[in-house]
Every structure is written in C-alpha cells, then in structure tokens.
Amino acid sequence: MTEARRPRAWAWLALAWLLAVGALAWQQAGFWREGRLDSDVLALLPGAHEDPRLAQANARLAEGGTRQLVVLLGHADWPTLRRGAEAFGASLRENPRLAPLPDDTAAEAAMSAYAPYQRGLLTREQRQRLSDTDPALLARQALARLFAPGSAPGWTADPLGLELDWWQARAGQGPVPRDGLLAIEDADRHWVVQRFEHTGSPFALDGERHLQLALDRAHAAAESAAGQPLQRLQAGVPLHAEAAAAQASREVATIGLGSLATVLLLAWLAFRSLRPILLVGLSLAIGVAAGVAATAWWFGQVHLLTLVFGASLVGVAEDYGIHYFASRQRDPSPPRTLMRRLLPALSLALATSVLAYLTLAIAPFPGLRQMALFSAAGLTAAFLTVVLWFPFLDRSAPRPSGFSRVVAASLARWPRWPRGLPGLALSLLVAAGIAGGLWQLQVRDDLRSLQASPAALVAGERDTARLLSLPSPAQYFLVQAQTPEALLRAEESLVDQLAGLREKGVLSGWRAVSDFLPSMARQSDDAALRQAAETAALALASEVLEEDLAAAPAPVQRLQPDTWLATPASLPLRPLWLGERDGQWASIVLLEGLAPASVESLATVAAGSPDVRWVDRTAAYSDLLSHYRRMMGWLVLAAYAAVGLALVLRFRRRAWRALLPTALAGAASLGLLGWLGVPLDLFGVLAQLLLLGFGIDYGIFLLEHDDDPASWLAVSLGAASTTLAFGLLALSATPALHSFGLSLLLGIGLVWLLSPCFRMRRDNGALAH
C-alpha cells in the first residue's frame, strides 16, 4: 500500500470501528434492560463430566425452586402470630415482584386419588406390626377400636385403622392448615409458613436488595399488627441471587471505579492534559462494553463473578493508551506516523496479554472461560480504539510533567542485585522467607470459595430447612433399573437400609417415590398381609357381637406409575421420578437431616448395590477443583519451561535476567500467602499463570530497551495500574476472587520491583552478562 493510500485506509477502518461501537452501544442498552445475569455458583463449574442421567437429575432438582422463597414467622402466642402473619402476607401481596403460592392443603383431593388403591398401601411400621404381632392381639385391638368413642362408621372396611395411619405417616411433620394459614410447632413456639414466587429479576445491579427491603417492610407491618416482635426466617434462591447481585454491584463499583480513578490520576500526573484522560477513559469504556457483549453473545448470559473479575480489566486495557501518550511526549512525529511505529510493539503486547488471559480457558470451567473471553474481547476492543481513533482525535503532544520526569529518571537510581557475599546472603534470606511461607501455605478446594452469601441468610436457610425437614438437593441417591417395577423394588430395598441408618441417627428421614408408589410386588404382599389381619379381626368381632361380619375379600387395584403421575397427589414428588432414558428408568431419593460426618456410611450403602448411586455434588465439585488445581500447577511449571526456552533462543546467556524476576515474584507471592494465612486454591494457581504472562514482559522490556527512561515511564505506569486493578480484587467478599486478586497484587508488584534489579551492568563501558 502506498503512503498516499494509508491515511485513507486508516480513515475507513476508523469509520468501520465507529459503526461497530455504535452497534455495541445498542446491544448494551438491550442487555442491561433484560438483565441476563447469573449468580448460580454451579454455573461456574463444568457439567460435561456428568453423564446425561446425572445432569437430568440435577436439572430436575433445580426446577421450580429457582424463583420460590419461603418465609417463617414465629411467636409463642398463636393469636399474636396470626395477626402478624396476616399483615405480613397482605403487605407482600401489594408487591409486584412477589406472588403468593397456593397452600399445600389439597389433602382431600389426594386422599380421593389414592382411595381405590388403599388396600395395597402400608407404611413400614404397619407392615412390621402386621407381620410380628399375634393375629389374635390384632383382632382384639381392632375390636377395642370398634367400641372406642368416635369410632369410624366404616369400621368393617378398615377395622385396624390402617388407612388413616398411612395418611398421618405420609403427612409427616410438615405444616398443617390452621385458621386459614399453614402452621408448624417447634418446642414452645408457633410458626406460620408462607411461600411466594419471585416474578421479577433479582439481578438488578443498582446496589439495592429490593426483595429484602420488601420483606423487611412486611415484617415491620407484621410486628405493628401483632404488637410484639416476631421472629422471622427466610430461605430461597432469589434471596441469594439478589444478595449476590448487590454484592457484585458494590464490588464492580469499588474495583472498576477504583481502577478507573487510578488510571486517570496516573494519566493526569504523567501528561497534565485533559485529552489523554478522556481518550484513555473512552478506550476503557469501549473495552468493558465489548467484554460484556462478547460474553453475553457466546454464553447467553454473564455471571456476576465475571463482571466483578472484568472490572479489573480497566487496569490492563489502559496500557495501550498510556504507551501511546508516553511515546508522544518525547516523539515529535505526527500521530499516525508514531502509531505506525508503535503498532508492532502494541500488537505484541496485545497478543501476549490475550494469550495470558486465554490460559484461563484451558480448564473446562464455564466461569473461567467467561472471564477469559470477557478479558480477551475487552483488551482487543481497547486496542482497536487506541490504534484506529487516537491518531485522529489527538491533536497535540502532551508536555513532560514533573511526575513523568521523576519516574523516568528513577531507573538510573534503581538498585541492582548485589554481587558476591552480600548477594549470596540476600539470596539465602529471601529463600528462607519463601520456604517458611510455602511451609505454612494451606490448600483449599472448597466449592464455598466461589460464593459469599450473607451469614444471616445462610443461617436462616439452615433453620428453615430444619423446621420444615427440607432435604438437601446437593446429596442424594440416584436409582436406576431396566423397568419401572425393578426401579421401585430397588428403591424400596434402598429405603429399607435407610430406615436402619435413621435408627442410628445418621439421618432423620428421606423422600422417596416408593413410599407413595410401591412396587406391584409390594402392593400385592401388603394387600395379602392386610387381608389376613382383617379377616382375623372380623372373625373375632363376629363372635363377640354374634353377628356375621365376614365379607368377601375386596378386589385389590394396583397403583401403576402412569396412573400415579396423572394424579395431583403426585405433584410434590414428580421431580424425583426421572422416567425412562436410553432403556433405563431412574428416580431420586432425597435425604433429610443428614449429618456431615455420616456421608461415608451412605456412600457404603450405594457401593453394595449396582442399581444405586450416591451423589455428593459438593464433594464432587471440590474434587474437581482439586484435580484442576493440580493440573494447572503442572501447566504453570511447563509454561515456565517453555518461556525459558524461548528466552534462551532470543537472549542466549542473558535469558535468566528476564525470567528470574517473574519466577522469584511467583514464589515470593505464594510464600506471602502462606505467611498471611490465605489458602491456595485453583484461582490462586491461575493467578500464577497470569503472572507469568504479564510479568515476563517487564524483564523482556528491560533487556530490549536497556536503561531507556521514557520507556521505563510507560512500563511503570502500566505496572502500577495493572497491580492496583488486580489488587482491588483482593477486596472482593468472594474467597476465590480475593485470593486471585491478592496473588496478582503481590506478584505483579514484586515483578515490577525486581525486574530492574537484574538488568544488565556496565563494566568499563561494556555490558556484563
């Protein structure tokens, strides 16, 4: 391309980028209106390792609960509690974000649905009682029931009262209707249970917890109506999602605005001109918007942790604009001429930074891949803005400021690593400090490091689950068989073992389809057992009353899976029935009141049956985090070896001067984490990989541009903003981001401090290796 055509081509490319930025602005307006944000911690983790049936089970357990929340109001006096609960519900009914869910009071409809099949339905305790008790004793108990006050008029159809007992056992200890409310008793306190569905989006990034504020207002109205304080417990995914969104809003503001303010302050101190500040700020805004757009386009939504992580992009994306204006200070060339000279170096800087971020995508974690794409797209957009627009928007070179002269001149006074005995002593001292920190460094592969719900909300969730006997969806049994009948029989065998564990205190209960839909074989056996006991009872009654009460055996109808699924009575348990897939039928058995120390015994139960699989999602994801932490650790070592080889090919015997500062800073940052008591997790290892990608540039730069003050100014400004940008992540309440930010804060800061210490020496006018 001729010199005459270059400006014209540049202008067309700048115009094309203007149109792209316009489309980006339109996309961003729509994205933030829709609020396509995600706070589910499990969305950050890989699901490809799960087989289709396990993925189906997890998805089924998540259905329906993502928008529901439950509130419990408690007080010792029922009339007081009733007044407060009615006022609480009335307040929330006026809120457009919440819709009350119907009470689970359809007992009569469920009893009608089960009535034709009742003769084949027995509880475990009833079955044991009929099997172990002498028939004559059962007959006398039935007769006593006949003469008891208030005996049921249908005694001859159910002389042992089995059907009522079956329903009472199935009802369990859950809430029961009382004065038009759902109530539950616990020690000396009454509780009213109210359920709602959240109809709006909980992901508003305005820093407000709208749902929590609505609950607080309703609670205030309830206490005003009751005239006394009421205890409140609340639980539900929307509450956690809203808390995560509010936290993300605060952290995005802290990290993003903090990084932006620092970048602009550095630009002002270095250039003392408004134009560099505005143009650098423009490139950063476009970069962040492009990161959001690319992530939303590729993944369909953006995780809140990705937004928090992406806020640190500000401190990295400014490098291109800072380098341009730092060079513009000392180079009188026209802007486009200068940009053409800088383009190879800027392109190389973009390539190395993008590659450093893309290393996050090596592990198959959707969350890490979101962060990698966000950062790569954001850096690319900031780079294009600087390259294509700055030469047209920049009209005058900034004058050197006192700050820029001081920073540029500091390189000449920077100390080098001492030689001889002092250098050896310093090396041993540093090595001892690093070794001491590494000795204390702990490893944590905990799924909880990826979330940070408020402690009060977690405690309320735990107490609510205890009062309502809610099972945990994170740990369950997956049962599989070739036919529905075989599946139900396998589930019944599992439940028989769980009953023994309940007696030992391992768990308090379970939820299983087979308790409401027994296998055909069990229904037949139970019907025969019941018929024998009732025949004896009716015979004794006939003798006592001198009246023939014996009747022909009633026909027994078997409850089939299809019939059961079609009735409203199956609605609460339908998520546990997974149906048929690839010739296999499957169901889920949930556990109640499981003690954490008893997990191993439950895994042993599953190990004894080929049809039963124990699923511990929390432990599985923690194992996965541990696996990838180790894998990425070996990758870091391999990356150091590869980078070292490349440096040897480029710099020969001087290569160690570029690699040693980063390696030393990486080891020192890990040692400092140990001294500070911050555990190492997968994100901490990934920080070491990014540290290599960013930090090695400082050593390379000092070898390529030996003792160049102006270039040192650009590097120092970039290093300061990058260090602060990632360092602000250390303020995150999410443990994983905290350790990630702290690792890079320490690492990048140390690389910047150490790199000049290993630059070339000049002995008698010649460079010494």
Side-chain angles (χ1 to χ4, degrees):
M1 181 180 294
T2 65
E3 291 294 329
R5 292 184 178 179
R6 282 178 180 169
R8 185 178 302 172
W10 205 318
W12 279 110
L13 289 174
L15 179 60
W17 183 238
L18 177 62
L19 295 176
V21 171
L24 177 63
W26 177 82
Q27 184 275 342
Q28 286 293 283
F31 173 83
W32 292 109
R33 279 199 305 269
E34 296 170 11
R36 285 181 288 153
L37 299 173
D38 186 15
S39 70
D40 182 9
V41 65
L42 297 180
L44 294 170
L45 303 174
H49 69 288
E50 298 179 342
D51 60 50
R53 180 62 85 179
L54 185 57
Q56 180 196 13
N58 292 333
R60 184 68 66 85
L61 290 176
E63 287 178 4
T66 57
R67 307 188 70 85
Q68 294 182 16
L69 62 99
V70 58
V71 179
L72 277 69
L73 294 178
H75 195 271
D77 180 64
W78 172 253
T80 299
L81 176 61
R82 184 183 61 192
R83 292 195 304 272
E86 290 173 347
F88 187 91
S91 174
L92 290 182
R93 277 193 292 272
E94 301 174 359
N95 192 302
R97 296 173 181 266
L98 290 171
L101 291 175
D103 294 338
D104 300 329
T105 56
E108 293 183 4
M111 293 178 71
S112 300
Y114 276 105
Y117 315 100
Q118 198 69 60
R119 297 197 62 80
L121 303 178
L122 293 177
T123 67
R124 181 179 317 283
E125 292 73 18
Q126 288 174 335
R127 190 177 303 112
Q128 193 74 25
R129 173 188 164 205
L130 296 182
S131 300
D132 298 344
T133 306
D134 181 71
L137 179 58
L138 289 175
R140 288 193 295 271
Q141 291 174 351
L143 196 59
R145 180 174 175 271
L146 173 64
F147 292 110
S151 60
W155 180 88
T156 55
D158 185 18
L160 298 174
L162 297 173
E163 296 179 8
L164 180 60
D165 288 347
W166 187 88
W167 274 107
Q168 289 177 340
R170 292 295 170 254
Q173 301 299 316
V176 295
R178 183 177 179 182
D179 295 340
L181 300 169
L182 281 180
I184 193 171
E185 306 295 323
D186 179 58
D188 58 348
R189 188 172 296 271
H190 307 281
W191 293 92
V192 169
V193 183
Q194 301 189 53
R195 296 184 175 92
F196 302 90
E197 183 175 33
H198 193 228
T199 58
S201 172
F203 300 118
L205 287 179
D206 55 6
E208 296 290 340
R209 296 178 63 179
H210 299 281
L211 182 56
Q212 184 64 49
L213 291 174
L215 293 175
D216 291 343
R217 286 193 296 269
H219 189 206
E223 291 187 330
S224 176
Q228 296 185 35
L230 301 176
Q231 187 175 351
R232 185 180 90 204
L233 300 175
Q234 55 193 37
V237 173
L239 293 170
H240 291 274
E242 184 180 66
Q247 176 185 302
S249 175
R250 294 191 299 270
E251 294 184 355
V252 165
T254 301
I255 297 168
L257 296 180
S259 298
L260 180 61
T262 302
V263 168
L264 299 183
L265 176 61
L266 288 173
W268 170 255
L269 292 174
F271 309 120
R272 293 301 177 93
S273 173
L274 187 59
R275 184 178 292 106
I277 294 177
L278 294 178
L279 292 182
V280 170
L282 175 66
S283 69
L284 298 180
I286 293 175
V288 172
V292 172
T295 307
W297 172 74
W298 185 262
F299 292 96
Q301 58 188 2
V302 180
H303 199 279
L304 291 176
L305 284 186
T306 301
L307 274 185
V308 175
F309 178 87
S312 66
L313 182 70
V314 171
V316 182
E318 52 78 39
D319 281 357
Y320 312 117
I322 292 291
H323 273 76
Y324 171 80
F325 283 109
S327 300
R328 188 96 161 91
Q329 261 188 346
R330 64 183 177 86
D331 193 327
S333 303
R336 275 172 281 187
T337 302
L338 174 62
M339 183 60 74
R340 279 196 295 270
R341 286 204 298 267
L342 293 177
L343 189 56
L346 292 178
S347 300
L348 182 59
L350 172 68
T352 55
S353 296
V354 167
L355 286 175
Y357 274 115
L358 290 180
T359 55
L360 297 177
I362 295 176
F365 280 68
L368 294 177
R369 289 179 172 175
Q370 276 200 25
M371 296 174 189
L373 178 60
F374 187 107
S375 302
L379 285 178
T380 303
F383 169 84
L384 290 174
T385 303
V386 170
V387 171
L388 296 178
W389 286 3
F390 278 27
F392 293 97
L393 300 176
D394 176 30
R395 294 304 179 192
S396 62
R399 291 180 305 221
S401 66
F403 175 81
S404 63
R405 284 192 291 266
V406 169
V407 173
S410 66
L411 181 62
R413 299 187 298 271
W414 208 278
R416 288 177 168 85
W417 198 271
R419 289 178 169 179
L421 188 60
L424 178 61
L426 181 58
S427 299
L428 291 176
L429 182 63
V430 171
I434 292 175
L438 293 177
W439 180 261
Q440 301 178 72
L441 185 62
Q442 298 180 351
V443 174
R444 178 181 60 191
D445 300 305
D446 193 345
L447 180 62
R448 288 171 293 185
S449 68
L450 297 175
Q451 61 183 2
S453 292
L457 184 55
V458 173
E461 192 99 23
R462 183 175 57 250
D463 292 341
T464 300
R466 178 185 60 83
L467 286 170
L468 298 180
S469 298
L470 299 177
S472 169
Q475 295 166 317
Y476 59 87
F477 285 102
L478 180 64
V479 187
Q480 299 183 85
Q482 297 292 328
T483 64
E485 175 69 7
L487 174 64
L488 291 171
R489 298 189 67 173
E491 190 176 288
E492 288 166 349
S493 176
L494 170 63
V495 170
D496 288 340
Q497 297 181 69
L498 295 181
L501 294 176
R502 180 174 60 183
E503 295 176 359
K504 298 177 181 178
V506 173
L507 69 162
S508 63
W510 57 84
R511 290 191 185 180
V513 171
S514 57
D515 281 343
F516 294 81
L517 173 66
S519 63
M520 298 299 102
R522 174 151 289 183
Q523 290 184 58
S524 297
D525 294 343
D526 287 353
L529 189 62
R530 173 177 176 172
Q531 183 62 43
E534 290 180 346
T535 299
L538 291 174
L540 178 61
S542 298
E543 292 182 15
V544 173
L545 299 176
E546 298 181 352
E547 180 181 352
D548 184 12
L549 299 178
V556 179
Q557 298 186 48
R558 302 290 181 263
L559 180 59
Q560 302 282 348
D562 291 343
T563 305
W564 178 75
L565 289 170
T567 65
S570 67
L571 187 61
L573 292 169
R574 283 179 196 170
L576 305 185
W577 184 260
L578 301 181
E580 187 269 341
R581 185 188 184 110
D582 299 329
Q584 285 274 332
W585 292 76
S587 67
I588 299 170
V589 175
L590 295 176
L591 305 176
E592 300 172 357
L594 176 61
S598 306
V599 171
E600 185 176 346
S601 60
L602 294 170
T604 304
V605 170
S609 173
D611 299 325
V612 179
R613 178 177 176 183
W614 171 244
V615 179
D616 187 343
R617 299 177 72 189
T618 302
Y621 281 123
S622 294
D623 290 343
L624 195 67
L625 290 171
S626 175
H627 167 73
Y628 282 108
R629 174 184 52 78
R630 293 191 298 269
M631 186 190 78
M632 298 303 288
W634 287 110
L635 181 61
V636 170
L637 296 178
Y640 267 97
V643 169
L645 178 60
L647 292 176
V648 168
L649 294 176
R650 174 66 180 88
F651 299 111
R652 302 299 179 184
R653 288 187 299 166
R654 297 180 296 158
W656 68 271
R657 295 183 181 275
L659 184 61
L660 183 58
T662 302
L664 189 59
S669 65
L670 292 176
L672 287 172
L673 290 181
W675 285 113
L676 294 172
V678 178
L680 179 67
D681 55 15
L682 172 63
F683 277 71
V685 176
L686 291 171
Q688 294 296 315
L689 201 57
L690 276 185
L691 175 62
L692 175 61
F694 292 135
I696 199 67
D697 289 345
Y698 302 153
I700 292 175
F701 178 82
L702 291 175
L703 287 179
E704 291 282 6
H705 306 279
D706 181 58
D707 289 339
D708 181 1
S711 299
W712 173 245
L713 168 64
V715 167
S716 296
L717 294 177
S721 59
T722 302
T723 301
L724 182 63
F726 283 113
L728 286 172
L729 281 176
L731 300 177
S732 174
T734 303
L737 290 182
H738 169 75
S739 64
F740 184 89
L742 186 58
S743 297
L744 285 173
L745 170 66
L746 298 172
I748 295 177
L750 287 171
V751 172
W752 176 70
L753 290 171
L754 290 170
S755 292
C757 297
F758 296 96
R759 68 191 189 276
M760 299 293 294
R761 295 177 183 272
R762 295 184 182 274
D763 294 338
N764 298 324
L767 290 177
H769 296 294

